[in-house]
Amino acid sequence: EVSFEELVHHVVPRVRRKLRDLQRRTLHELFKEGDEDGSGRLSISEAVNALHRLGTYPGQELVEDAIFDVVPSSRKELTTLEGDLIMSRDLLDFEQFCKLVALLQERTECDRIERFDQIVEMQGLDSGMQSLWEHDLVDLWESFHRFCDESRVVRSKQAVAIARELG
């Protein structure tokens, strides 16, 4: 038996520490694998590849903006006279990479919440439907729109494929 006080002061903090440690080890492995030239720093290209191995596929603009927030001086360092980005220049150390991952996770979650709210408003979903779909609505919307035709409907086989895709 565990009291609420024990849960709050001991159990949950211990579990959170262990999860943070596990995530940090995973990120360190990804960082080492991603550091193709062994410099101890990741370029934008290397960081994007590491994020893909993590199973994260943020857009290029989102990654660039996050990198500029994590390393503000990088905007100058990575921009050519023509205004193009130098994707191969080593930039992020491990701590900055960890900050980048956390920032991208936060921004992705915020974007997902905004998309959820937009879909709810467009479809006029009541609170019961919102509760039912709170974790899957955005995925359902994206899957549906990958399969639907110009009349905004899917065939039976496509509906089954969407259901399979969502598990």
Side-chain angles (χ1 to χ4, degrees):
E1 292 181 26
V2 177
S3 70
F4 181 73
E5 187 173 312
E6 265 184 272
L7 188 68
V8 168
H9 293 289
H10 302 288
V11 176
V12 172
R14 191 174 316 130
V15 169
R16 284 183 175 165
R17 267 192 309 279
K18 289 205 182 279
L19 288 173
R20 249 190 328 269
D21 291 346
L22 284 171
Q23 183 184 31
R24 195 162 173 82
R25 275 187 249 145
T26 300
L27 290 178
H28 194 263
E29 286 302 313
L30 283 170
F31 183 86
K32 286 190 325 190
E33 290 171 17
D35 185 14
E36 296 165 7
D37 60 4
S39 67
R41 293 185 175 274
L42 298 182
S43 66
I44 293 176
S45 295
E46 290 171 331
V48 168
N49 290 337
L51 291 168
H52 289 178
R53 282 193 301 282
L54 186 61
T56 306
Y57 298 90
Q60 186 71 26
E61 188 176 326
L62 183 62
V63 173
E64 290 170 10
D65 288 345
I67 286 174
F68 295 148
D69 287 343
V70 170
V71 186
S73 63
S74 64
R75 190 176 299 272
K76 254 188 212 177
E77 296 171 25
L78 298 176
T79 306
T80 65
L81 293 175
E82 294 80 28
D84 298 324
L85 274 182
I86 303 170
M87 304 294 284
S88 60
R89 181 173 287 162
D90 290 331
L91 175 70
L92 298 167
D93 63 24
F94 176 65
E95 292 302 322
Q96 291 166 327
F97 178 67
C98 290
K99 288 178 187 174
L100 174 70
V101 169
L103 184 58
L104 286 170
Q105 287 172 336
E106 178 183 320
R107 289 182 179 173
T108 300
E109 185 60 24
C110 287
D111 288 347
R112 197 167 172 80
I113 290 168
E114 282 179 26
R115 294 203 55 220
F116 177 88
D117 291 342
Q118 290 168 349
I119 295 166
V120 164
E121 187 175 319
M122 283 188 297
Q123 299 301 307
L125 300 180
D126 63 27
S127 60
M129 288 300 284
Q130 289 178 46
S131 284
L132 177 66
W133 288 102
E134 69 183 326
H135 300 293
D136 299 317
L137 184 63
V138 174
D139 294 332
L140 177 62
W141 180 265
E142 289 172 354
S143 292
F144 178 83
H145 283 86
R146 269 196 307 279
F147 286 98
C148 75
D149 59 24
E150 55 278 342
S151 64
R152 302 295 237 198
V153 296
V154 295
R155 309 266 181 263
S156 297
K157 284 184 177 182
Q158 294 165 321
V160 170
I162 291 170
R164 278 191 193 126
E165 195 173 283
L166 295 175

